[in-house]
Amino acid sequence: MADTALFFREFVRSPMVTAAVTASSPALAGQMVLPVPERGDPVVVELGPGTGAFTSAIRQRLGGRGRHLAIELNPRLARILADRFPEVEVITADAASLPDQLSGRGLTADVVISGLPWSAYQRPLISAVAKSLSSTGTFTQFTYTWSLWAPPSRRQLSELREAFEEVVIGRTVWRNLPPALVYFAPRRRAARRG
C-alpha cells in the first residue's frame, strides 16, 4: 500500500514523469523478465524502474549474476530504489541517455526492460534502446490492453517493428491493474547504410 500511495503522489506531482498511478503486479513483472538469461553474466538495463516491481523480479532471475543498471528520471523514486536494492546500479537520468550511460561504462546491454510510459516515447527512445543492445539482445515493453488501438500505442509498435527483427506480443496479463501485455523485441535490425 505504501508504494501505491507513493506512486499516486508522484503521479499527481508530475504525470509526465511518473505516468502510472500504481506499481505493476508480480504477474506482469514475471512476464517482463522472461528474456533475462538463466546462465552467464548478462548486462540487464531497466528503464523507469519506479519503486522496483520489475527490479525485484530481475534480481530473482539473475540470482546474483551479471550486472543490473536501473535508469530512473524521478530523483525521489531513484533514492528509494537505491535503498531497496543496493546491488543495483541506480542512475538518476533520462532514459534517452542510455547509449551514453552504457558506453561510458564500456557496456552493451543483453536485455533492456522498460516500465516507461508513452510520454517517454515522444523522442527517438526506441532507436536509442536498439543501439544499446547487443546484436542478440532483447527489449521488453508493456502496454495496457485498453490502449492498444490508441495512436501512441500504434506508433510505438510501428517503431518497434522498424528497429527490431521481430516483435512478439505476449498474452494478456489479467492479474495486473489495468490488464497489460508485453512486447518482446529481440535482435535489433542492422543499421541501414545510405
Side-chain angles (χ1 to χ4, degrees):
M1 290 304 279
D3 281 357
T4 299
L6 174 65
F7 257 93
F8 186 73
R9 278 194 312 272
E10 293 302 313
F11 174 79
V12 169
R13 273 191 187 126
S14 184
M16 295 304 279
V17 173
T18 306
V21 294
T22 187
S24 297
S25 71
L28 179 57
Q31 289 296 301
M32 290 289 288
V33 304
L34 286 175
V36 175
E38 294 181 326
R39 294 179 187 76
D41 291 310
V43 174
V44 179
V45 179
E46 189 178 3
L47 304 177
T51 57
F54 299 158
T55 312
S56 181
I58 293 166
R59 298 309 308 154
Q60 287 180 332
R61 186 99 172 161
L62 285 173
R65 301 172 297 109
R67 190 152 174 194
H68 182 177
L69 290 79
I71 300 177
E72 173 58 56
L73 182 60
N74 184 313
R76 288 179 198 87
L77 296 180
R79 281 192 299 276
I80 290 168
L81 193 74
D83 288 344
R84 286 184 181 173
F85 301 95
E87 65 281 7
V88 176
E89 189 173 343
V90 179
I91 303 162
T92 305
D94 190 298
S97 73
L98 175 60
D100 294 334
Q101 297 293 341
L102 288 174
S103 68
R105 290 166 173 81
L107 299 173
T108 301
D110 295 300
V111 180
V112 175
I113 295 171
S114 175
L116 293 172
W118 283 341
S119 59
Y121 291 90
Q122 300 299 323
R123 52 200 177 282
L125 184 57
I126 290 174
S127 63
V129 168
K131 279 190 248 175
S132 301
L133 281 164
S134 70
S135 60
T136 58
T138 300
F139 175 53
T140 64
Q141 171 70 53
F142 77 92
T143 191
Y144 297 120
T145 54
W146 60 266
S147 64
L148 284 174
W149 305 112
S153 185
R154 289 196 321 248
R155 184 180 65 242
Q156 182 187 47
L157 182 56
S158 175
E159 289 174 7
L160 283 169
R161 288 182 170 144
E162 287 174 21
F164 292 89
E165 292 292 328
E166 67 177 318
V167 178
V168 177
I169 301 173
R171 287 190 225 140
T172 300
V173 179
W174 294 105
R175 292 182 297 151
N176 192 73
L177 188 62
L181 51 83
V182 178
Y183 295 141
F184 299 94
R187 298 180 313 281
R188 62 180 164 78
R189 290 188 188 274
R192 293 187 180 111
R193 296 190 177 161

